[in-house]
Each structure stands twice: as C-alpha cells, then as structure tokens.
Amino acid sequence: MKTFEKIKSDTFYFNSCEGCEAKCCDGRFGSLFAQITLEDFEKVYEIFPILFIYGELNFLKPVILLTNGKSLCKYNKDFKCTIYEKRPSICKNYPLSAHLDNSIYIDKSCPALNSNNGLKIVEDGQIKNNFNNYDFHNYQEKYIKMHFYFDKFNKKNNLKPIIFLNNVQFYSFKNNLNDYYIELQIKSLKNIDTYYNI
C-alpha cells in the first residue's frame, strides 16, 4: 500500500521505473481514484472518467477513476504506461503528491526512491525544478476555488450514482447545466467501459 508522508527537510533521489511491477498503477495497492482541480478537466476527460465523490463535510470533490480497484490501470501493459505522454498530472507527479495543506507528500513505498542514487527530485525539502509542475504551486488555492465552483451545483437532484467500487460511491451530473466543466465531466463518461465491471 502507498505510504505518503509529508516532506520536511529530506532529500530524495529517484532511480527508474524499469523492472518495477507498477504498484503505483495497481488498484490492489490503493490506486482507485485521484482528486483533480478545474485545471485538470481538459487534460483528462478524453482518457479517464471524471466523477464526483462526497467529502466529509458533504461537498463535491471531482476525481478521475484510475482503476477498477482489482487490477492495473487499463492503460498499463507489461508494467509500462501506454499513454505516458498524455498521462494525468497525478501520474506525472508520482511519487510526489500535492496536498490541501500546501505541503508536498512523498510515497515512501515507491521502490525507485532512495537516499543517494539517481535523479535528485527533492533536496532539503524543496522539489527540484526538473520535477516541479503546476500542481505543486498554490494547490490549496486551486482546491478551494474548485470547491466553491461546484458547491453551487451540489444538489441531489443534479447528480446520479454511476458506479460503486471498493465501498466508494461515485456520482455524475445528470445534464451539463450549461456549464463547461460539467459538460466535460459528462463527456468523460464514455471512458467507463467493461474494465470497470459496471
């Protein structure tokens, strides 16, 4: 299972994905869905289903459904990503992850991580430029903006349950409500196929 921990003053190196069995892409190891922000919608709707879950305070959170919870991502063949150049930011960032507290977390279970060999991705708690991307900048602000954006549409009669996986209920909007992002979300439903065992 993934073990994300907050980066403090650590330094981390990343070797290579070669020879790895892609546990980061495997639903059996916790890769079921990933939260996204508004900036991600255009980049992922053609590839993954965008769905919604309810957060602890009953607010909507958009997520992409990465796996069926029982196997590797459907775009992973022979432990290699077949959409590598178009993969979502959650995959590009791994083993790093942005967080609502504006801190960066790292999955210490990643077998390519070590303390003294490979490409330096974090030095003294700071992400190196060659591994830094937009997701790590002002993540809290993007998250809050996304929360308030969808809060105005958060009515039960606007949503319908789509799929129930690993004890998580995922929802979709019933119609696009004349909204660009909801339209993209509905278009993304074409990506829900037999792989997800509906």
Side-chain angles (χ1 to χ4, degrees):
M1 291 302 241
K2 294 179 179 176
T3 55
F4 282 96
E5 295 180 21
K6 185 189 263 190
I7 293 173
K8 296 178 182 170
S9 58
D10 309 293
T11 296
F12 292 100
Y13 293 79
F14 187 87
N15 269 335
S16 166
C17 296
E18 288 296 319
C20 179
E21 295 183 354
K23 290 181 180 178
C24 57
C25 308
D26 196 329
R28 294 166 292 188
F29 293 93
S31 296
L32 181 62
F33 65 87
Q35 188 166 297
I36 61 174
T37 59
L38 291 174
E39 290 82 359
D40 295 308
F41 273 61
E42 287 182 346
K43 298 171 186 172
V44 298
Y45 85 97
E46 290 280 4
I47 302 168
F48 287 100
I50 300 172
L51 299 170
F52 288 86
I53 59 174
Y54 278 99
E56 293 176 11
L57 301 176
N58 205 37
F59 56 84
L60 284 177
K61 298 196 309 188
V63 299
I64 51 172
L65 193 56
L66 295 170
T67 73
N68 57 18
K70 301 172 188 167
S71 61
L72 287 165
C73 169
K74 68 179 180 177
Y75 296 112
N76 193 298
K77 302 292 182 235
D78 300 321
F79 304 126
K80 299 209 182 306
C81 180
T82 61
I83 57 164
Y84 190 79
E85 295 303 322
K86 293 183 177 180
R87 72 198 190 281
S89 58
I90 187 73
C91 304
K92 290 177 183 175
N93 295 343
Y94 186 82
L96 303 177
S97 177
H99 195 271
L100 183 55
D101 65 6
N102 265 345
S103 297
I104 305 301
Y105 286 67
I106 192 163
D107 181 6
K108 290 192 173 178
S109 73
C110 174
L113 272 184
N114 63 66
S115 58
N116 57 14
N117 189 20
L119 176 69
K120 191 182 287 185
I121 60 172
V122 175
E123 184 173 27
D124 299 326
Q126 298 298 312
I127 300 172
K128 299 296 285 180
N129 284 340
N130 60 344
F131 210 81
N132 207 344
N133 65 59
Y134 81 95
D135 278 340
F136 298 122
H137 299 290
N138 302 317
Y139 183 77
Q140 184 182 72
E141 182 181 319
K142 292 174 186 175
Y143 180 92
I144 291 170
K145 174 183 169 187
M146 176 272 303
H147 163 64
F148 283 113
Y149 187 89
F150 286 112
D151 191 56
K152 61 189 175 212
F153 303 112
N154 187 6
K155 299 177 177 63
K156 291 285 187 187
N157 59 340
N158 285 338
L159 294 150
K160 61 182 176 183
I162 290 291
I163 190 169
F164 187 75
L165 289 174
N166 290 18
N167 296 315
V168 179
Q169 181 66 64
F170 297 91
Y171 296 87
S172 170
F173 280 95
K174 293 178 182 176
N175 58 64
N176 67 25
L177 301 173
N178 296 314
D179 179 81
Y180 176 69
Y181 294 103
I182 293 176
E183 182 179 352
L184 291 180
Q185 185 270 307
I186 292 171
K187 285 181 178 178
S188 81
L189 296 179
K190 71 176 192 272
N191 297 303
I192 298 185
D193 53 25
T194 55
Y195 165 79
Y196 295 103
N197 295 322
I198 294 180

